[in-house]
């Protein structure tokens, strides 16, 4: 019976074959098929290594002792600075280059001058996506790029996404669907990017909706209310403008 790396590490401790970076690499990659070590580096704790992995469930940061006998999963915090070092590293590992996103495949909603930007992978039948759409609607001076991303658990979501894409006014059709529950009429067999969106989401390991991506590459999974989102848009877009 095979277990995923994440499931086994949630037990907090596991044995690695022998000491040394090469042995840690060999043991993890052979013991957990499909897992790839992307980096091994010293952590702020003496004698402890930070190990970044990439496997079927996406990037993961774990820690190994210096003799390679144990692994630990969890958040490493700096008490003095109040920084979550593990979260910072994970944010870096899961960054998405904004310029790599095929924005032409998204349903574009512009509010005000549209100067602030965010992309979202969203499912027409996802309750939290509809709730998120309501929060986006409260914002001003923002451009939201909606990548229709119908999840397997919602069998009719793909049809609805295609109906929106085939509509004469996609933006209105999208907002009518998400905010008012009005399903577009018309054809759903026009050329559309839904399959491309699904492939992109799989590549980026988007496993739930809504999933937000900001211009500086930061990702936020799940629903965010308008007040918090407004602050995040200011921070993320300001950082992006400075880079």
């Amino acid at each position: 019976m095979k277990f995923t790396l994440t499931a086994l590490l949630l037990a907090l401790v596991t044995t690695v074959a022998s000491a040394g970076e090469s042995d840690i690499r060999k043991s993890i990659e052979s013991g957990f098929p499909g897992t790839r070590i992307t980096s091994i580096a010293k952590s702020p704790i003496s004698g402890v290594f930070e190990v970044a992995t990439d496997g079927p469930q996406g990037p993961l940061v774990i820690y190994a002792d210096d003799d390679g006998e144990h692994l630990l999963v969890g958040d490493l915090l700096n008490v003095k600075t109040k920084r979550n070092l593990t979260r910072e590293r994970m944010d870096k590992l899961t960054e998405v280059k904004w310029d790599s996103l095929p924005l032409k495949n998204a349903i574009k909603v512009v509010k005000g001058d549209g100067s602030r930007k965010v992309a979202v992978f969203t499912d027409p039948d996802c309750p939290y996506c509809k709730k998120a759409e309501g929060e986006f609607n409260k914002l001003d001076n923002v451009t939201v790029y909606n990548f229709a991303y119908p999840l397997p658990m919602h069998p009719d979501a793909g049809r609805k996404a295609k109906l929106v894409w085939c509509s004469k006014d996609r933006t209105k059709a999208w907002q009518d669907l998400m905010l008012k529950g009005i399903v577009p009429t018309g054809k759903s067999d026009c050329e559309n990017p839904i399959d491309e969106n699904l492939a992109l989401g799989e590549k980026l390991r988007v496993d739930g909706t809504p999933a937000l991506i900001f211009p500086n590459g930061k990702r936020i999974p799940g629903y965010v209310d308008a007040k918090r989102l407004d602050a995040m848009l200011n921070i993320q877009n300001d950082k992006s403008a400075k880079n």
Side-chain angles (χ1 to χ4, degrees):
M1 186 175 184
K2 294 183 178 179
F3 295 89
T4 65
L5 176 60
T6 302
L8 289 177
L9 288 176
L10 287 176
L12 296 185
V13 181
T14 187
T15 302
V16 182
S18 56
E21 291 185 25
S22 62
D23 293 313
I24 292 174
R25 183 182 300 275
K26 183 186 300 183
S27 180
I28 292 177
E29 292 183 345
S30 62
F32 305 100
T35 298
R36 180 172 62 90
I37 305 296
T38 56
S39 69
I40 299 176
K42 290 183 179 180
S43 79
I45 301 175
S46 178
V48 176
F49 288 94
E50 175 198 276
V51 182
T53 71
D54 191 14
Q57 295 177 312
L60 181 68
V61 173
I62 59 179
Y63 300 96
D65 57 9
D66 57 359
D67 62 5
E69 290 191 0
H70 301 88
L71 299 178
L72 178 69
V73 63
D75 289 342
L76 180 60
L77 309 177
N78 184 304
V79 177
K80 185 176 181 179
T81 63
K82 303 295 191 291
R83 290 168 55 198
N84 185 326
L85 303 180
T86 306
R87 174 45 53 192
E88 290 179 9
R89 186 74 174 105
M90 281 295 296
D91 285 347
K92 192 68 178 175
L93 291 172
T94 58
E95 277 186 0
V96 177
K97 291 184 179 179
W98 182 263
D99 291 342
S100 72
L101 293 175
L103 299 180
K104 63 180 177 60
N105 289 347
I107 300 164
K108 184 178 176 182
V109 178
V110 181
K111 301 289 295 295
D113 63 18
S115 56
R116 302 181 298 171
K117 295 177 173 60
V118 63
V120 56
F121 282 80
T122 178
D123 180 325
D125 282 339
C126 160
Y128 279 99
C129 295
K130 294 177 181 179
K131 191 174 180 181
E133 190 72 28
E135 299 302 298
F136 290 139
N137 205 42
K138 298 175 184 177
L139 301 173
D140 199 10
N141 300 329
V142 62
T143 300
V144 181
Y145 294 94
N146 295 281
F147 286 90
Y149 191 67
L151 298 173
M153 67 181 70
H154 299 140
D156 199 34
R159 181 184 70 90
K160 292 175 182 175
K162 291 174 183 177
L163 282 168
V164 170
W165 190 265
C166 294
S167 298
K168 185 175 181 180
D169 187 339
R170 292 170 187 161
T171 298
K172 183 178 185 303
W174 177 257
Q175 292 199 304
D176 282 349
L177 174 63
M178 299 301 281
L179 297 174
K180 301 176 183 178
I182 301 173
V183 179
T185 57
K187 63 180 182 178
S188 61
D189 59 351
C190 67
E191 186 175 348
N192 64 80
I194 306 305
D195 287 342
E196 291 180 39
N197 290 352
L198 291 171
L200 176 63
E202 183 177 356
K203 179 181 178 181
L204 297 177
R205 294 193 173 90
V206 175
D207 55 9
T209 56
L212 282 62
I213 300 175
F214 294 89
N216 72 342
K218 186 174 178 62
R219 298 167 54 153
I220 301 292
Y223 163 83
V224 179
D225 65 52
K227 183 177 180 179
R228 183 179 168 215
L229 183 58
D230 189 63
M232 292 171 67
L233 280 165
N234 288 334
I235 293 172
Q236 303 303 330
N237 284 271
D238 284 348
K239 287 182 179 179
S240 177
K242 294 176 182 178
N243 291 337

